Amino acid sequence: DELPRARYFGVSIGRENQRVVYCRHGKEGSRVFLHRLGEKVDADEKIFGDGYGPGVIISPSLSDDGRHLLLTVIHGSAADKTELFVRSMDPGAPIREIVADLPYRFTGEIAGGRLFVQTNWKAPNNRVLVAALDDPAPSKWREIIPAGPGVIESVSLVGGTLLVHELQDVHSVRSEEHTSELQ
């Protein structure tokens, strides 16, 4: 299968290797599509992006088990505001808004039926929060890594472990691995 020549912001391959979710950026802005391998690209289903203009980037990512799609909407190049949405990959499932009205940065990953969120909301140096996917509203988020003196640069889920990259005094440090939240 071959995607047409374009500008893409994220490609995520389903665990079963039968579908690909991708974001293509055009004149109208970013749009997210679902492609089933072996089918024509013209038949790809547009699943998200209508209403957003060219100043917005949308990044799709499938959960580790391929059952959920996380959509991150990045406003402007500085990404001072991001929005998060989630969708079950079951046919016809609706897209659920997680956070869209707060002027902060949010990045997330889904694993084990939970959403892990890194954010500068109420934490200028960032913090990490977790919520169950069946009710991921911000009011249900629980802090698992508080803001500290260093800046949390990134968080990755790797092999059942939450790895945190932190910047302290202008150099990277290895942060403690957080496995208890993933079990």
Side-chain angles (χ1 to χ4, degrees), residues 116-138:
F116 294 84
V117 178
Q118 175 189 338
T119 182
N120 67 340
W121 177 49
K122 299 182 181 178
N125 286 346
N126 292 321
R127 62 185 176 145
V128 180
L129 310 162
V130 65
L133 267 182
D134 59 355
D135 190 5

Side-chain angles (χ1 to χ4, degrees), residues 2-175:
E2 190 173 312
L3 295 175
R5 183 178 170 95
R7 192 170 162 201
Y8 293 92
F9 293 109
V11 174
S12 197
I13 299 171
R15 186 176 190 181
E16 75 291 343
N17 293 324
Q18 296 297 311
R19 59 188 170 188
V20 175
V21 177
Y22 64 91
C23 180
R24 184 173 60 221
H25 193 77
K27 291 178 189 175
E28 72 284 351
S30 294
R31 301 295 181 261
V32 178
F33 296 89
L34 173 63
H35 174 73
R36 294 183 191 340
L37 294 176
E39 295 183 10
K40 294 186 181 227
V41 174
D42 295 347
D44 289 357
E45 175 188 357
K46 181 171 47 169
I47 57 176
F48 189 76
D50 287 341
Y52 291 104
V56 170
I57 295 171
I58 302 171
S59 176
S61 64
L62 287 167
S63 61
D64 60 344
D65 61 7
R67 295 179 53 211
H68 294 92
L69 175 65
L70 181 66
L71 298 155
T72 304
V73 179
I74 304 162
H75 291 267
S77 60
D80 292 332
K81 177 185 176 189
T82 54
E83 301 172 2
L84 296 178
F85 298 84
V86 68
R87 177 188 181 220
S88 165
M89 290 306 292
D90 293 336
I95 293 174
R96 295 183 300 153
E97 176 184 300
I98 297 171
V99 63
D101 57 354
L102 296 172
Y104 298 96
R105 289 184 307 275
F106 298 90
T107 58
E109 286 193 53
I110 297 172
R114 287 172 288 180
L115 172 66
F116 294 84
V117 178
Q118 175 189 338
T119 182
N120 67 340
W121 177 49
K122 299 182 181 178
N125 286 346
N126 292 321
R127 62 185 176 145
V128 180
L129 310 162
V130 65
L133 267 182
D134 59 355
D135 190 5
S139 63
K140 304 287 180 151
W141 291 353
R142 184 172 50 88
E143 184 175 79
I144 59 172
I145 303 173
V151 177
I152 297 174
E153 292 282 308
S154 64
V155 176
S156 300
L157 297 166
V158 180
T161 301
L162 187 61
L163 301 176
V164 180
H165 175 223
E166 189 173 345
L167 191 64
Q168 288 183 9
D169 299 325
V170 196
H171 68 279
S172 294
V173 296
R174 179 178 170 217
S175 292

